[in-house]
Amino acid sequence: MKTISAEEIRCRAKELGADLCGIASVERFDDAPPGFHPTDVALGCKSVIVLAARFPSSTLAASSQAAYTFVRNRLVDRIDSITVQISSELEQLGYCAVPIPSSDPYDYWDDSRRHGQGILSLKHAAVRAGLGHMGKNTLLVNDELGNMLWLGAVLIDKELEPDLIAGYQTCNPDCRICLDSCPANALDGTTIDQRKCRGVSAKYTEGGGGVYACNLCRKLCPQNKGIK
Ligand code: B12
C-alpha cells in the first residue's frame, strides 16, 4: 500500500475543483445518534474527508428559480465527480474509500412525514472537518463562502491528520431572519420540518422539470456570503 497524507488529499481535492477541503477523525462523531455515524456507512472508516464547492450567489438575484436550480444540479454533478474520482484514486493506493452522494440517492424515506435522510449528514460532517458551523436555518456557514456552498464527502479507512474545528461563531443570537421569513414556518432554530419545507420548495411542471422554488432561509441570511 502506498501511503498518502492529509495534505496530499487536500491538494488533490483542490486540483480536481473543490474550493474547500477539511478532514475529521471518526472519533469526532462519537456523539452521533445511531444510524448517523460514518461507521454505519463504512465499518472501517477512520477519517471523513469533506469537500465544498462555491455556489455562485448571483443565482439568488435572478427572478427565475431556474438559474439557481440549474447551478445546484451542475454542482451535484461536479462535487459527486470529485468524490468518486478521489475514492477511485485512494482505492488504487490500497485504501477502502466510500464516496457519499451529495444529494440523491439515499435509502431512508418516510412517506408519512415526507422525511428523507442522506446516508451521512454532510453538514454535521463539515462541522467536524473544520469547515464551519450550522446556523439557525440548519445550513452550514463557512467564514469565507457563507452558506453558499455545496458539500460532498469521502469515508476512508486511514487515520489522517484532522483539521481544527472552526474557531468562529455563526448567527447573531438575536437574529430571526430565516425563522421569520420561512413561508412554511418550517424552522425552529435547530431543526427543520421537511414536510413543510418540501411543500414550498419542490415545484414540478410537466414540461419544465423540477425547480427549487424557495431558498429564502439561505438567501436572506446576513451571513450567506461569509462572516464579516
Ligand atoms: C434531505 C435533504 C434536505 C431536506 C431536509 C434538510 C435538512 N435540514 O435535513 C429538505 C428537502 C428540507 C432540504 C432542503 C434544502 N436543502 Co438539503 N439536503 C438534504 C440531504 C440530501 C440529506 C440531509 C439529511 O439527511 N437530513 C436528515 C437529518 C440529518 O436531519 P435530522 O433528522 O434533522 O438530524 C438530526 C439528528 O439526526 C442529528 N444528527 C444527524 N446527523 C448527526 C451527526 C452528528 C455527529 C450529530 C451529533 C448529530 C446528528 O442532528 C439533527 C438535528 O437534531 C443533504 C445532503 C446530505 N447527505 O447531507 C442536503 C443538504 C443538507 N441540502 C442542502 C441545501 C443547499 C438545501 C436547500 C437550500 C435547497 C433549496 N431549497 O434551495 C434547502 C435548505 C433547507 C434548510 N434550511 O435545511 C445542502 C446544505 C449546504 C449547506 N450550506 O449546509 C446539503 C448538505 C446538500 C449538499 N450536498 O450541499 N434538504
Side-chain angles (χ1 to χ4, degrees):
M1 178 184 293
K2 195 165 172 272
T3 190
I4 191 161
S5 68
E7 194 45 36
E8 286 169 310
I9 292 174
R10 274 188 215 99
C11 287
R12 184 65 184 133
K14 295 204 175 158
E15 241 172 51
L16 289 168
D19 293 299
L20 304 173
C21 177
I23 293 175
S25 58
V26 78
E27 289 75 26
R28 290 193 182 161
F29 293 80
D30 283 351
D31 56 345
F36 289 89
H37 196 278
T39 57
D40 294 324
V41 182
L43 193 58
C45 173
K46 297 218 171 67
S47 303
V48 180
I49 304 159
V50 185
L51 315 177
R54 175 189 295 273
F55 194 122
S57 52
S58 305
T59 52
L60 298 175
S63 55
S64 159
Q65 289 296 346
Y68 174 86
T69 305
F70 164 67
V71 168
R72 180 258 181 217
N73 293 346
R74 293 291 76 77
L75 286 178
V76 171
D77 295 343
R78 182 165 142 213
I79 276 286
D80 287 348
S81 301
I82 299 173
T83 54
V84 169
Q85 179 64 27
I86 287 184
S87 302
S88 171
E89 292 179 15
L90 291 171
E91 190 177 294
Q92 286 172 62
L93 295 176
Y95 300 107
C96 177
V98 179
I100 304 295
S102 73
S103 181
D104 301 336
Y106 43 82
D107 312 303
Y108 178 84
W109 172 252
D110 176 351
D111 205 38
S112 64
R113 292 189 298 145
R114 299 197 71 209
H115 187 101
Q117 184 185 307
I119 64 171
L120 186 76
S121 171
L122 291 171
K123 297 176 297 187
H124 289 83
V127 172
R128 280 150 184 81
L131 296 187
H133 291 287
M134 284 186 267
K136 292 178 191 172
N137 56 11
T138 83
L139 295 174
L140 182 89
V141 184
N142 172 265
D143 56 346
E144 285 173 35
L145 301 185
N147 68 38
M148 293 303 285
L149 41 77
W150 195 255
L151 296 167
V154 175
L155 311 185
I156 182 171
D157 62 347
K158 176 178 172 43
E159 280 175 26
L160 292 164
E161 184 66 34
D163 284 276
L164 294 174
I165 301 287
Y168 48 86
Q169 311 252 312
T170 60
C171 296
N172 178 326
D174 301 327
C175 184
R176 291 190 45 89
I177 293 174
C178 60
L179 309 181
D180 293 339
S181 61
C182 174
N185 202 20
L187 295 165
D188 63 11
T190 47
T191 58
I192 186 160
D193 181 323
Q194 289 198 23
R195 175 199 291 281
K196 290 181 177 173
C197 178
R198 286 176 196 274
V200 291
S201 69
K203 295 280 179 241
Y204 297 91
T205 64
E206 258 183 52
V211 289
Y212 287 85
C214 182
N215 50 32
L216 286 176
C217 60
R218 173 175 230 191
K219 178 176 178 169
L220 301 180
C221 173
Q223 298 182 332
N224 70 356
K225 292 179 195 143
I227 299 175
K228 307 276 177 321

Short mmCIF file of all heavy atoms in Angstrom, two decimals, residues 1-9 42 44-47 49 83-99 154-161:
data_model
loop_
_atom_site.label_atom_id
_atom_site.label_comp_id
_atom_site.label_asym_id
_atom_site.label_seq_id
_atom_site.Cartn_x
_atom_site.Cartn_y
_atom_site.Cartn_z
N MET A 1 0.84 -1.20 0.00
CA MET A 1 0.00 0.00 0.00
C MET A 1 0.88 1.26 0.00
O MET A 1 1.80 1.35 0.80
CB MET A 1 -0.91 0.00 1.24
CG MET A 1 -1.76 1.23 1.33
SD MET A 1 -2.77 1.31 2.82
CE MET A 1 -3.91 -0.01 2.60
N LYS A 2 0.58 2.20 -0.92
CA LYS A 2 1.33 3.44 -0.95
C LYS A 2 0.64 4.41 0.03
O LYS A 2 -0.58 4.53 0.01
CB LYS A 2 1.29 4.02 -2.37
CG LYS A 2 2.29 5.09 -2.61
CD LYS A 2 2.45 5.35 -4.11
CE LYS A 2 3.32 6.56 -4.33
NZ LYS A 2 2.59 7.83 -4.35
N THR A 3 1.43 5.04 0.91
CA THR A 3 0.79 5.90 1.92
C THR A 3 0.49 7.29 1.35
O THR A 3 1.14 7.74 0.41
CB THR A 3 1.64 5.95 3.20
OG1 THR A 3 0.89 6.57 4.22
CG2 THR A 3 2.95 6.66 2.99
N ILE A 4 -0.53 7.95 1.90
CA ILE A 4 -0.90 9.29 1.44
C ILE A 4 -1.19 10.16 2.67
O ILE A 4 -1.71 9.65 3.68
CB ILE A 4 -2.12 9.23 0.48
CG1 ILE A 4 -2.34 10.58 -0.20
CG2 ILE A 4 -3.39 8.76 1.18
CD1 ILE A 4 -3.18 10.53 -1.45
N SER A 5 -0.86 11.44 2.58
CA SER A 5 -1.05 12.32 3.75
C SER A 5 -2.32 13.15 3.56
O SER A 5 -2.84 13.30 2.44
CB SER A 5 0.15 13.26 3.88
OG SER A 5 0.16 14.15 2.79
N ALA A 6 -2.76 13.76 4.66
CA ALA A 6 -3.92 14.65 4.63
C ALA A 6 -3.65 15.80 3.65
O ALA A 6 -4.52 16.19 2.87
CB ALA A 6 -4.19 15.19 6.03
N GLU A 7 -2.43 16.32 3.67
CA GLU A 7 -2.09 17.45 2.81
C GLU A 7 -2.19 17.07 1.32
O GLU A 7 -2.69 17.84 0.50
CB GLU A 7 -0.68 17.95 3.16
CG GLU A 7 -0.31 19.31 2.61
CD GLU A 7 -1.41 20.37 2.78
OE1 GLU A 7 -2.12 20.38 3.79
OE2 GLU A 7 -1.55 21.19 1.84
N GLU A 8 -1.71 15.87 1.00
CA GLU A 8 -1.80 15.42 -0.41
C GLU A 8 -3.27 15.28 -0.84
O GLU A 8 -3.62 15.62 -1.97
CB GLU A 8 -1.05 14.09 -0.58
CG GLU A 8 0.46 14.27 -0.56
CD GLU A 8 1.21 12.95 -0.47
OE1 GLU A 8 0.88 12.13 0.41
OE2 GLU A 8 2.13 12.75 -1.28
N ILE A 9 -4.11 14.81 0.08
CA ILE A 9 -5.53 14.67 -0.26
C ILE A 9 -6.16 16.05 -0.46
O ILE A 9 -6.90 16.28 -1.43
CB ILE A 9 -6.28 13.87 0.83
CG1 ILE A 9 -5.79 12.42 0.80
CG2 ILE A 9 -7.79 13.93 0.64
CD1 ILE A 9 -6.33 11.54 1.90
N ALA A 42 -19.59 2.88 6.43
CA ALA A 42 -18.38 2.13 6.09
C ALA A 42 -17.73 1.71 7.41
O ALA A 42 -17.17 2.55 8.13
CB ALA A 42 -17.43 2.99 5.27
N GLY A 44 -15.11 0.28 8.49
CA GLY A 44 -13.71 0.53 8.84
C GLY A 44 -13.31 2.00 8.78
O GLY A 44 -12.12 2.33 8.88
N CYS A 45 -14.29 2.90 8.64
CA CYS A 45 -13.96 4.33 8.46
C CYS A 45 -13.15 4.87 9.63
O CYS A 45 -13.51 4.69 10.79
CB CYS A 45 -15.25 5.12 8.30
SG CYS A 45 -14.97 6.90 8.26
N LYS A 46 -12.04 5.55 9.29
CA LYS A 46 -11.23 6.18 10.35
C LYS A 46 -11.20 7.71 10.19
O LYS A 46 -10.94 8.42 11.16
CB LYS A 46 -9.80 5.63 10.30
CG LYS A 46 -9.72 4.12 10.59
CD LYS A 46 -8.48 3.80 11.41
CE LYS A 46 -8.44 2.39 11.92
NZ LYS A 46 -8.31 1.38 10.87
N SER A 47 -11.42 8.18 8.97
CA SER A 47 -11.44 9.63 8.73
C SER A 47 -12.52 9.97 7.71
O SER A 47 -12.85 9.15 6.85
CB SER A 47 -10.09 10.12 8.17
OG SER A 47 -9.04 9.79 9.02
N ILE A 49 -13.33 12.81 4.84
CA ILE A 49 -12.80 13.92 4.04
C ILE A 49 -14.02 14.68 3.51
O ILE A 49 -14.88 14.09 2.84
CB ILE A 49 -11.99 13.37 2.85
CG1 ILE A 49 -10.87 12.44 3.33
CG2 ILE A 49 -11.44 14.50 1.98
CD1 ILE A 49 -10.36 11.48 2.25
N THR A 83 -15.74 13.49 -5.69
CA THR A 83 -15.65 12.47 -4.61
C THR A 83 -15.48 11.06 -5.21
O THR A 83 -14.75 10.24 -4.65
CB THR A 83 -16.86 12.53 -3.65
OG1 THR A 83 -18.07 12.43 -4.38
CG2 THR A 83 -16.85 13.81 -2.84
N VAL A 84 -16.11 10.82 -6.36
CA VAL A 84 -15.93 9.50 -6.99
C VAL A 84 -14.49 9.34 -7.47
O VAL A 84 -13.85 8.30 -7.27
CB VAL A 84 -16.94 9.32 -8.17
CG1 VAL A 84 -16.59 8.09 -9.00
CG2 VAL A 84 -18.36 9.20 -7.64
N GLN A 85 -13.93 10.40 -8.05
CA GLN A 85 -12.54 10.35 -8.56
C GLN A 85 -11.55 10.14 -7.41
O GLN A 85 -10.65 9.30 -7.48
CB GLN A 85 -12.24 11.65 -9.31
CG GLN A 85 -10.82 11.75 -9.87
CD GLN A 85 -10.53 10.68 -10.94
OE1 GLN A 85 -11.46 10.20 -11.60
NE2 GLN A 85 -9.27 10.29 -11.08
N ILE A 86 -11.73 10.91 -6.31
CA ILE A 86 -10.82 10.76 -5.17
C ILE A 86 -10.93 9.35 -4.59
O ILE A 86 -9.92 8.72 -4.27
CB ILE A 86 -11.13 11.84 -4.10
CG1 ILE A 86 -10.64 13.19 -4.62
CG2 ILE A 86 -10.47 11.51 -2.76
CD1 ILE A 86 -10.78 14.32 -3.64
N SER A 87 -12.15 8.85 -4.47
CA SER A 87 -12.33 7.50 -3.92
C SER A 87 -11.62 6.48 -4.79
O SER A 87 -10.96 5.56 -4.29
CB SER A 87 -13.81 7.13 -3.87
OG SER A 87 -14.50 8.05 -3.10
N SER A 88 -11.75 6.65 -6.10
CA SER A 88 -11.11 5.70 -7.02
C SER A 88 -9.59 5.75 -6.88
O SER A 88 -8.91 4.72 -6.83
CB SER A 88 -11.56 6.05 -8.44
OG SER A 88 -10.84 5.32 -9.37
N GLU A 89 -9.05 6.97 -6.78
CA GLU A 89 -7.58 7.11 -6.66
C GLU A 89 -7.10 6.52 -5.33
O GLU A 89 -6.07 5.85 -5.27
CB GLU A 89 -7.17 8.58 -6.79
CG GLU A 89 -7.40 9.09 -8.21
CD GLU A 89 -7.03 10.57 -8.40
OE1 GLU A 89 -6.34 11.14 -7.53
OE2 GLU A 89 -7.43 11.15 -9.43
N LEU A 90 -7.86 6.77 -4.25
CA LEU A 90 -7.45 6.23 -2.93
C LEU A 90 -7.53 4.71 -2.94
O LEU A 90 -6.67 4.02 -2.37
CB LEU A 90 -8.34 6.82 -1.83
CG LEU A 90 -8.13 8.31 -1.55
CD1 LEU A 90 -9.20 8.86 -0.60
CD2 LEU A 90 -6.73 8.56 -0.96
N GLU A 91 -8.54 4.19 -3.61
CA GLU A 91 -8.67 2.73 -3.70
C GLU A 91 -7.48 2.12 -4.46
O GLU A 91 -6.96 1.07 -4.08
CB GLU A 91 -9.98 2.40 -4.40
CG GLU A 91 -10.34 0.92 -4.33
CD GLU A 91 -11.68 0.64 -4.99
OE1 GLU A 91 -12.70 1.11 -4.48
OE2 GLU A 91 -11.67 -0.04 -6.02
N GLN A 92 -7.04 2.82 -5.50
CA GLN A 92 -5.88 2.30 -6.25
C GLN A 92 -4.62 2.29 -5.40
O GLN A 92 -3.67 1.54 -5.68
CB GLN A 92 -5.67 3.12 -7.51
CG GLN A 92 -6.72 2.81 -8.58
CD GLN A 92 -6.63 3.76 -9.75
OE1 GLN A 92 -5.62 3.81 -10.43
NE2 GLN A 92 -7.68 4.53 -9.97
N LEU A 93 -4.59 3.14 -4.36
CA LEU A 93 -3.43 3.13 -3.45
C LEU A 93 -3.57 2.05 -2.38
O LEU A 93 -2.68 1.86 -1.56
CB LEU A 93 -3.28 4.49 -2.77
CG LEU A 93 -2.95 5.68 -3.68
CD1 LEU A 93 -2.94 6.98 -2.88
CD2 LEU A 93 -1.59 5.47 -4.34
N GLY A 94 -4.73 1.39 -2.34
CA GLY A 94 -4.91 0.28 -1.39
C GLY A 94 -5.87 0.56 -0.25
O GLY A 94 -6.05 -0.27 0.63
N TYR A 95 -6.52 1.75 -0.25
CA TYR A 95 -7.45 2.07 0.83
C TYR A 95 -8.89 1.70 0.44
O TYR A 95 -9.20 1.58 -0.75
CB TYR A 95 -7.41 3.58 1.13
CG TYR A 95 -6.05 4.05 1.56
CD1 TYR A 95 -5.26 4.83 0.71
CD2 TYR A 95 -5.54 3.71 2.81
CE1 TYR A 95 -4.00 5.25 1.09
CE2 TYR A 95 -4.28 4.13 3.20
CZ TYR A 95 -3.52 4.89 2.34
OH TYR A 95 -2.27 5.30 2.72
N CYS A 96 -9.74 1.59 1.46
CA CYS A 96 -11.18 1.49 1.21
C CYS A 96 -11.72 2.92 1.33
O CYS A 96 -11.55 3.55 2.39
CB CYS A 96 -11.82 0.56 2.22
SG CYS A 96 -13.60 0.45 2.02
N ALA A 97 -12.29 3.46 0.27
CA ALA A 97 -12.73 4.87 0.27
C ALA A 97 -14.13 4.94 -0.33
O ALA A 97 -14.32 4.60 -1.50
CB ALA A 97 -11.75 5.71 -0.54
N VAL A 98 -15.10 5.37 0.48
CA VAL A 98 -16.50 5.36 0.06
C VAL A 98 -17.01 6.78 -0.14
O VAL A 98 -17.03 7.57 0.82
CB VAL A 98 -17.38 4.64 1.12
CG1 VAL A 98 -18.85 4.65 0.72
CG2 VAL A 98 -16.89 3.22 1.36
N PRO A 99 -17.43 7.13 -1.38
CA PRO A 99 -17.97 8.49 -1.60
C PRO A 99 -19.41 8.58 -1.11
O PRO A 99 -20.18 7.63 -1.24
CB PRO A 99 -17.91 8.64 -3.13
CG PRO A 99 -17.97 7.25 -3.66
CD PRO A 99 -17.42 6.32 -2.61
N VAL A 154 -15.95 11.85 1.46
CA VAL A 154 -15.40 10.51 1.23
C VAL A 154 -15.01 9.92 2.58
O VAL A 154 -14.36 10.61 3.38
CB VAL A 154 -14.14 10.57 0.31
CG1 VAL A 154 -13.50 9.19 0.17
CG2 VAL A 154 -14.49 11.14 -1.06
N LEU A 155 -15.42 8.68 2.84
CA LEU A 155 -15.03 7.99 4.08
C LEU A 155 -13.84 7.11 3.76
O LEU A 155 -13.86 6.37 2.77
CB LEU A 155 -16.19 7.12 4.59
CG LEU A 155 -17.57 7.78 4.68
CD1 LEU A 155 -18.57 6.81 5.32
CD2 LEU A 155 -17.51 9.07 5.46
N ILE A 156 -12.79 7.17 4.58
CA ILE A 156 -11.58 6.40 4.29
C ILE A 156 -11.13 5.63 5.54
O ILE A 156 -11.27 6.14 6.67
CB ILE A 156 -10.45 7.31 3.75
CG1 ILE A 156 -9.21 6.48 3.39
CG2 ILE A 156 -10.11 8.44 4.68
CD1 ILE A 156 -8.12 7.25 2.65
N ASP A 157 -10.57 4.44 5.31
CA ASP A 157 -10.14 3.59 6.43
C ASP A 157 -8.69 3.91 6.81
O ASP A 157 -7.90 2.99 7.05
CB ASP A 157 -10.30 2.11 6.07
CG ASP A 157 -9.44 1.68 4.88
OD1 ASP A 157 -8.91 2.58 4.16
OD2 ASP A 157 -9.29 0.47 4.65
N LYS A 158 -8.34 5.19 6.81
CA LYS A 158 -6.99 5.60 7.21
C LYS A 158 -7.07 6.76 8.19
O LYS A 158 -7.85 7.69 7.97
CB LYS A 158 -6.19 6.05 5.98
CG LYS A 158 -4.80 6.57 6.33
CD LYS A 158 -4.00 6.95 5.10
CE LYS A 158 -2.69 7.67 5.43
NZ LYS A 158 -1.89 7.17 6.50
N GLU A 159 -6.26 6.69 9.24
CA GLU A 159 -6.18 7.83 10.15
C GLU A 159 -5.41 8.94 9.45
O GLU A 159 -4.31 8.70 8.96
CB GLU A 159 -5.44 7.43 11.43
CG GLU A 159 -6.34 6.67 12.39
CD GLU A 159 -5.60 6.15 13.61
OE1 GLU A 159 -4.57 6.74 13.98
OE2 GLU A 159 -6.09 5.15 14.16
N LEU A 160 -6.01 10.12 9.38
CA LEU A 160 -5.37 11.27 8.73
C LEU A 160 -5.33 12.40 9.75
O LEU A 160 -6.18 12.48 10.64
CB LEU A 160 -6.18 11.72 7.52
CG LEU A 160 -6.24 10.77 6.32
CD1 LEU A 160 -7.37 11.16 5.38
CD2 LEU A 160 -4.90 10.77 5.56
N GLU A 161 -4.38 13.32 9.60
CA GLU A 161 -4.28 14.48 10.49
C GLU A 161 -5.56 15.32 10.32
O GLU A 161 -5.82 15.85 9.23
CB GLU A 161 -3.04 15.29 10.08
CG GLU A 161 -2.72 16.49 10.94
CD GLU A 161 -2.33 16.11 12.36
OE1 GLU A 161 -1.71 15.05 12.55
OE2 GLU A 161 -2.69 16.88 13.27
#
